[in-house]
């Protein structure tokens, strides 16, 4: 209606600009009558059944029907023209019936006087109707009884409403009316662009802030790694120097026992004393070497031999590798958004995201499947509740079109739900031997899917209780 008023203002503005005052006056007079009522169905119904017929304005009623016949005469839809002709006959007959029921037979005679010739030439069996003004009780006549019933009137009103709704929806919109609609579309798009630009600037600012934080974290991690490496190198160098001293300590001890003079004790006592001292000295040196190495390298004491052949540099390399990873490489996971969907009346057994990520399908133990939309900016036209009548064992979305949801039930059923049409477009069943559809997967490249079904578990033995399985490819 706003588009219609905007177009009328444009016409007035143009006529005033060109100086077409006479045309403007005629235009204003035509607007006052507004025969088509702006192509609004409810107002047209009120005009026909609440104004023209009750007030016996037969001339205006015939003029309105002629106006619509002219509007449809240029249309390529011949079906609309034929349907309007049938509805015109029924509307005029209802006018006669209403006048008869109201006791205004004079209006019936007047109607036939003005339009009788046209009615007879139309060939719509109008001849018997000319006798109605002269019948005592036409509502009891078998030929006219049905037209006096309430059911016939309600059917006529419903037919007229449906007809006008169809033709107005299919009517080509004039270019003048498209100006207003196009302008509204442009304004809406400009508003959307402005909001998106604002959101983009906010995201860019947030991204720059995160990049600064990330650079700072990386810088701190590099400094921490460098300091830990220097400490490990210093510790390794000190341990290397200490272990180089230990062999010289052994050689000095050995020399001490080699220069003992043999004249002081008996030969067998000297040998026993020397070996005892040698063993004691060697043991003490080995233990001190292990103790010192264990202070700097907690893990190398398992690898060293009694001769201290393990190089301390290997321990330093191991320590450096173990200390390299930092906490910054494993950032904390934070949840920025959380939304809870309520609607299931029993425990939810499984859920799946669609291929586009716009919709979520969830199934509960009572055999109900629900389709959700978690993002408020996405239209909720696909939201639906599906009652399967059996426990849902498997769910999967068709990958390519993102319109089909496959549902596997415990009674061997496989249903394909079209989210755009909101109905089951395919209902399949597995064999009776394998009634439980445990899993369904769709091919990512071809319009096929595979189902895994299991048999019912019978028997008391372990083998029988396991049941059997079936894998089926559906194309």
């Amino acid at each position: 209606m706003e588009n219609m008023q905007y177009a009328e203002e444009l016409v007035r503005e143009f006529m005033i600009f060109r100086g077409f005052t006479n045309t403007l006056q005629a235009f204003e007079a035509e607007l006052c009558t507004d025969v088509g009522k702006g192509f609004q169905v409810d107002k047209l119904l009120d005009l026909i059944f609440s104004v023209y017929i009750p007030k016996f304005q037969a001339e205006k009623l015939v003029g309105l029907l002629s106006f619509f016949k002219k509007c449809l005469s240029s249309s390529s839809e011949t079906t609309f023209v034929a349907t309007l002709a049938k509805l015109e006959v029924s509307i005029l007959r209802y006018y006669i019936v209403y006048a008869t029921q109201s006791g205004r037979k004079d209006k019936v005679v007047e109607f036939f006087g003005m339009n009788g010739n046209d009615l007879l030439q139309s060939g719509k069996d109008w001849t018997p109707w000319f006798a109605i003004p002269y019948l005592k009780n036409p509502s009891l006549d078998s030929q006219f009884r049905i037209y006096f019933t309430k059911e016939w009137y309600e059917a006529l009103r419903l037919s007229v409403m449906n007809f006008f709704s169809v033709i107005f929806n299919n009517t080509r919109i004039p270019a003048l009316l498209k100006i207003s609609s196009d302008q509204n579309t442009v304004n809406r798009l400009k508003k959307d662009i402005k909001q998106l630009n604002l959101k983009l600037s906010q995201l860019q600012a947030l991204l720059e802030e995160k990049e600064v934080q990330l650079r700072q974290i990386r810088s701190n991690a590099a400094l921490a790694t460098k300091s830990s490496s220097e400490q490990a190198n210093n510790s390794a160098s000190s341990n290397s120097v200490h272990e180089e001293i230990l062999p010289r300590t052994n050689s000095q001890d050995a020399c001490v026992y080699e220069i003992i003079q043999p004249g002081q004790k008996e030969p067998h006592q000297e040998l026993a004393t020397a070996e005892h001292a040698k063993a004691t000295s060697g043991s003490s040196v080995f233990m001190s070497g292990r103790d010192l190495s264990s202070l700097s390298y907690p893990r190398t004491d398992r690898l060293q031999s009694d001769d201290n052949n393990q190089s301390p540099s290997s321990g330093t390399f191991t320590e450096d590798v173990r200390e390299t990873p930092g906490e910054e490489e494993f950032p904390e996971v934070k949840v920025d958004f959380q939304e809870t969907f309520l609607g299931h009346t029993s425990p939810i057994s499984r859920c799946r995201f669609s291929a586009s990520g716009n919709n979520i399908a969830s199934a509960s133990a009572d055999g109900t499947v629900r389709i959700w939309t978690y993002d408020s900016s996405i239209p909720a036209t696909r939201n639906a509740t599906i009652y399967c009548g059996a426990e849902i064992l498997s769910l999967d979305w068709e990958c390519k079109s993102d319109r089909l949801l496959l549902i596997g039930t415990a009674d061997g059923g496989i249903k394909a739900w079209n989210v755009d049409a909101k109905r089951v477009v395919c209902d399949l069943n597995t064999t009776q031997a394998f009634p439980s559809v445990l899993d369904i997967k769709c091919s990512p490249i071809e319009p096929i899917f595979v189902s895994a079904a299991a048999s019912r578990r019978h028997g008391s033995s372990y083998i029988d209780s396991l049941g059997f399985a079936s894998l089926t490819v559906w194309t």
Side-chain angles (χ1 to χ4, degrees), residues 96 100 105-106 108-109 112 128-136 138:
I96 298 172
T100 304
K105 293 185 178 182
D106 58 322
V108 178
V109 175
F112 283 129
W129 287 82
F130 284 86
I132 283 186
Y134 309 102
L135 295 178
K136 185 177 182 179

Side-chain angles (χ1 to χ4, degrees), residues 25-76:
Q25 293 178 1
F27 178 68
E28 295 291 350
E30 290 290 339
L31 286 179
C32 294
T33 58
D34 194 10
V35 179
K37 291 298 178 182
F39 289 163
Q40 299 182 43
V41 177
D42 53 349
K43 290 188 176 182
L44 282 174
L45 289 178
D46 292 339
L47 182 65
I48 295 174
F49 294 100
S50 301
V51 179
Y52 287 169
I53 294 179
K55 294 182 179 181
F56 305 107
Q57 298 177 359
E59 186 177 356
K60 293 183 178 181
L61 178 62
V62 174
L64 177 64
L65 297 176
S66 301
F67 167 75
F68 283 112
K69 284 193 294 185
K70 291 179 181 179
C71 291
L72 295 177
S73 61
S74 59
S75 176
S76 59

